[in-house]
């Protein structure tokens, strides 16, 4: 139990659970990641806490996202994966807490969940591609999160994948080919992330189906009307975006100006 560090000169530096620098609070480590400073981050799938080792001070610090005021109301579950972005910030996935972007000091920057477009808050694995997009596996499909704008895209069978149950921690980005690799219980899937993302460039066209004013339908010609009488204050607009593939993942929103 504990941790073992082997330096470039071949020397071993053990860190047992009762290490003199302070007892290690968690064990059974499942994930390890190194940030640009050379500090190491360790996680345990049975625990939501994160153990950070400082290369400068040779000491450990516990980071508990669950105690952050922004996440205190959530049941995060155990950590399933942790990866570093180009800036050295950790991104953490949980059994039921979605994806959390932390600062290098361990403070919560943002949490992404089903309210942001994720198909599930149970994320099994995380991997960055060559353009800084974060890919995650769920039991309801593969997700791509662009940290630049927070947009979330979901890929499943309807989007061309041969499987959509990404239950295991099996993923890889190959910088040589630019391809992504993800594993499911029955398949090993390889794809070009740019080509897969291109299917979202052709979005369904939104069409107005019906317009009602005070419960009375108005004809198409009157849609050029730009003003209504004071008592014409109950307006209903029905719109649709036909999709020949799968309309279940279309999300509607609208904005009234004026």
């Amino acid at each position: 139990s504990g941790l073992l560090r082997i330096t470039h000169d071949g020397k071993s530096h053990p860190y047992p659970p009762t290490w003199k620098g302070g007892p290690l609070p968690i064990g059974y480590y499942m994930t390890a990641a190194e940030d640009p400073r050379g500090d190491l981050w360790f996680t345990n799938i049975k625990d939501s806490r994160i153990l950070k080792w400082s290369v400068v001070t040779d000491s450990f610090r516990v980071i508990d996202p669950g105690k952050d005021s922004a996440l205190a109301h959530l049941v995060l579950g155990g950590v399933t994966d942790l990866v570093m972005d180009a800036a050295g910030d950790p991104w953490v996935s949980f059994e039921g807490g979605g994806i959390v972007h932390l600062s290098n000091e361990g403070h919560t920057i943002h949490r992404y969940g089903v309210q942001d477009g994720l198909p599930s808050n149970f994320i099994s694995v995380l991997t960055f591609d060559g353009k800084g997009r974060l890919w995650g596996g769920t039991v309801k499909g593969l997700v791509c999160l662009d940290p630049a704008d927070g947009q979330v895209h979901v890929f499943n069978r309807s989007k061309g994948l041969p499987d959509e149950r990404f239950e295991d921690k099996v993923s890889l980005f190959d910088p040589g080919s630019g391809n992504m690799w993800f594993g499911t219980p029955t398949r090993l899937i390889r794809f070009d992330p740019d080509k897969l993302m291109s299917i979202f460039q052709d979005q369904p066209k939104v069409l107005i189906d019906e317009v009602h004013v005070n419960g009375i339908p108005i004809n198409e010609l009157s849609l050029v009307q730009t003003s209504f009488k004071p008592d014409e204050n109950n307006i209903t607009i029905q719109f649709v975006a036909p999709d020949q593939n799968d309309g279940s993942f279309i999300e509607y929103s609208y904005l009234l100006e004026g």
Side-chain angles (χ1 to χ4, degrees):
S1 58
L3 294 166
L4 177 65
R5 178 169 64 94
I6 301 177
T7 55
H8 60 86
D9 56 4
K11 294 182 179 180
S12 298
H13 302 267
Y15 299 91
T18 56
W19 180 56
K20 63 180 181 179
L24 304 185
I26 62 176
Y28 195 58
Y29 304 98
M30 295 292 293
T31 300
E34 183 179 5
D35 65 25
R37 302 178 184 180
D39 296 342
L40 300 179
W41 301 64
F42 302 93
T43 69
N44 175 357
I45 196 171
K46 297 181 179 181
D47 202 316
S48 63
R49 294 175 298 173
I50 302 168
L51 190 64
K52 180 182 179 181
W53 174 78
S54 171
V55 66
V56 175
T57 62
D58 190 21
S59 62
F60 291 91
R61 180 168 70 92
V62 177
I63 298 172
D64 190 350
K67 291 185 176 180
D68 193 303
S69 60
L71 306 175
H73 64 291
L74 299 172
V75 179
L76 297 176
V79 175
T80 56
D81 207 355
L82 184 152
V83 293
M84 293 289 168
D85 63 19
D89 288 347
W91 293 70
V92 191
S93 59
F94 294 89
E95 289 180 309
I99 301 173
V100 176
H101 177 197
L102 299 175
S103 69
N104 193 268
E105 296 302 320
H107 303 298
T108 300
I109 296 177
H110 190 76
R111 172 189 172 267
Y112 298 87
V114 293
Q115 73 279 0
D116 300 292
L118 296 183
S120 170
N121 281 333
F122 186 103
I123 312 297
S124 59
V125 64
L126 295 175
T127 302
F128 279 103
D129 66 16
K131 293 187 176 180
R133 295 171 298 209
L134 183 63
W135 295 77
T138 79
V139 295
K140 296 182 178 180
L142 197 63
V143 299
C144 179
L145 191 162
D146 191 344
D149 56 14
Q151 291 292 314
V152 176
H153 300 288
V154 181
F155 300 89
N156 48 33
R157 291 184 183 275
S158 69
K159 300 299 182 183
L161 295 184
D163 201 344
E164 58 188 23
R165 296 188 62 85
F166 296 88
E167 304 174 0
D168 303 313
K169 189 179 176 182
V170 180
S171 67
L172 173 71
F173 169 66
D174 179 8
S177 65
N179 289 329
M180 306 284 295
W181 295 77
F182 278 87
T184 73
T186 59
R187 290 175 171 84
L188 182 62
I189 301 174
R190 181 189 65 182
F191 61 88
D192 183 328
D194 289 334
K195 291 182 178 179
L196 194 58
M197 286 293 293
S198 67
I199 68 174
F200 284 98
Q201 295 177 359
D202 186 17
Q203 296 292 340
K205 184 178 180 180
V206 178
L207 305 175
I208 294 178
D209 191 23
E210 291 184 3
V211 177
H212 293 75
V213 177
N214 292 345
I216 302 174
I218 61 176
N219 58 48
E220 184 178 353
L221 293 179
S222 59
L223 290 180
V224 299
Q225 182 177 354
T226 58
S227 62
F228 297 92
K229 298 177 181 179
D231 59 346
E232 294 178 330
N233 52 16
N234 190 334
I235 303 173
T236 303
I237 302 175
Q238 297 182 8
F239 51 93
V240 65
D243 187 351
Q244 296 180 352
N245 295 317
D246 181 12
S248 62
F249 284 88
I250 296 178
E251 296 184 1
Y252 295 97
S253 62
Y254 63 89
L255 174 65
L256 296 179
E257 297 181 349

